[in-house]
Amino acid sequence: MQKRIQYLDIIKVISIFLVVFCHFVLLAETIPANIFMVACWSGVPMFFMVNGALLFTRPLNLSKHIRKTLLIYIVLVLWKLIYLFSIGALCQVPVANFGKNQILLYLFAFGSLEGIGTGHLWFIEALLAVYILFPLFRIAYDHTHGRKIILFFAAYGILMTNGLTGLQMLLDALCAHGLLGVYSLEGLEILNPFGTYANMLGFFLFGAWLHTAPTFCGSLTRQRLLGLLSSLLGLSGMWAVKTYTSQNPAWDGILLVQATATSRSYSSQQVFS
């Protein structure tokens, strides 16, 4: 077990590096850079799976967990404060443009301010959402059928996000070829009680389920090879989805130069309006 935990610590370090690099906005918009950035997205589910594996192997200390959850929230607020002044100065968006209520909602209630891009912070928001729900699933895990319960909700969370997206893509493709009419699955979102980040919760719980399971075919090496194979299949799937949704393999994120140009254009419109 100790070797498995040490191995998970290494994976966690790698995943954190990938997640941070994934959000590095100065990468050139080239095919090789985009392939690498898509690969970096693997760091997100890796990070949540490792966290689930580690947290579910420890006794629940509710007071300590609440402190950690509050700390994540404070970190999120501080990052939004940094974005407010740094991106605002870089993109020439004066803080004075916003009212007091707008800034308070932006900092403390997940609000947004026009010209201040904070989309990169979704990762911290997802971690906060998962940490809020964790005690409920940790208590359920101690039940006789705890591992089955965890697996059910892991599969459900991923199905109601990634699964519905994949199914919608299939329906759209069939519609484009004239084999079906127009079908929208948006109404099914009401069946998802975990919100936007249900897939991250699913990865978190799936990591816990995998870590507490016996090794694959009694071999840790085979289990790691199975994980590598799953990662390769997942990366190819992510690349296919990305190409399908954007109609090209180029990264469709907003680069720093584009954001600055957009902001200046917006400021010019304000001056001449």
Side-chain angles (χ1 to χ4, degrees):
M1 180 63 73
Q2 186 60 35
K3 287 184 177 180
R4 294 178 75 178
I5 291 176
Q6 290 174 353
Y7 176 71
L8 285 174
D9 285 336
I10 296 172
I11 296 297
K12 189 172 181 179
V13 170
I14 294 173
S15 64
I16 290 173
F17 168 77
L18 289 175
V19 170
V20 172
F21 196 81
C22 176
H23 296 145
F24 188 64
V25 294
L26 295 178
L27 270 178
E29 202 167 3
T30 62
I31 296 299
N34 282 274
I35 292 175
F36 187 70
M37 290 179 77
V38 170
C40 285
W41 276 103
S42 65
V44 178
M46 281 168 56
F47 178 82
F48 280 93
M49 289 177 71
V50 170
N51 269 280
L54 294 175
L55 285 179
F56 274 83
T57 54
R58 302 168 183 167
L60 175 63
N61 186 327
L62 191 57
S63 60
K64 183 178 180 181
H65 181 76
I66 291 174
R67 289 196 298 271
K68 280 188 175 181
T69 305
L70 289 174
L71 181 61
I72 294 173
Y73 178 73
I74 292 171
V75 168
L76 178 60
V77 171
L78 290 176
W79 268 113
K80 297 197 81 170
L81 190 63
I82 292 171
Y83 270 55
L84 177 62
F85 289 102
S86 62
I87 301 298
L90 187 65
C91 298
Q92 300 178 5
V93 182
V95 178
N97 285 359
F98 310 112
K100 179 181 177 181
N101 291 343
Q102 285 180 294
I103 293 177
L104 289 175
L105 288 173
Y106 162 79
L107 289 175
F108 301 104
F110 308 100
S112 60
L113 296 175
E114 188 162 359
I116 308 296
T118 57
H120 304 80
L121 299 179
W122 74 267
F123 172 71
I124 306 178
E125 294 176 359
L127 186 63
L128 178 62
V130 168
Y131 261 64
I132 289 173
L133 290 171
F134 167 69
L136 175 65
F137 289 103
R138 185 62 184 81
I139 293 171
Y141 182 77
D142 292 330
H143 188 271
T144 305
H145 302 291
R147 291 192 72 251
K148 293 180 180 179
I149 294 172
I150 293 301
L151 179 60
F152 171 79
F153 281 105
Y156 190 78
I158 296 173
L159 177 65
M160 294 305 296
T161 47
N162 300 55
L164 284 185
T165 300
L167 183 56
Q168 185 66 66
M169 287 172 54
L170 176 61
L171 292 175
D172 292 344
L174 292 174
C175 178
H177 287 81
L179 300 176
L180 281 179
V182 178
Y183 290 93
S184 174
L185 302 178
E186 290 183 4
L188 291 177
E189 292 178 0
I190 196 174
L191 299 177
N192 177 15
F194 303 120
T196 306
Y197 303 121
N199 55 342
M200 295 301 114
L201 176 64
F203 288 126
F204 178 79
L205 297 176
F206 189 56
W209 182 83
L210 280 178
H211 183 61
T212 55
T215 54
F216 179 68
C217 294
S219 170
L220 187 57
T221 301
R222 291 182 180 179
Q223 184 166 325
R224 291 174 180 175
L225 289 175
L226 180 63
L228 178 61
L229 177 61
S230 301
S231 298
L232 293 175
L233 290 174
L235 288 175
S236 60
M238 290 166 66
W239 187 254
V241 169
K242 185 180 185 308
T243 303
Y244 176 84
T245 54
S246 61
Q247 302 303 315
N248 65 76
W251 185 257
D252 55 2
I254 299 176
L255 301 180
L256 189 60
V257 176
Q258 294 173 324
T260 305
T262 302
S263 175
R264 287 176 178 169
S265 174
Y266 172 76
S267 299
S268 300
Q269 291 174 7
Q270 292 292 97
V271 171
F272 292 107
S273 60

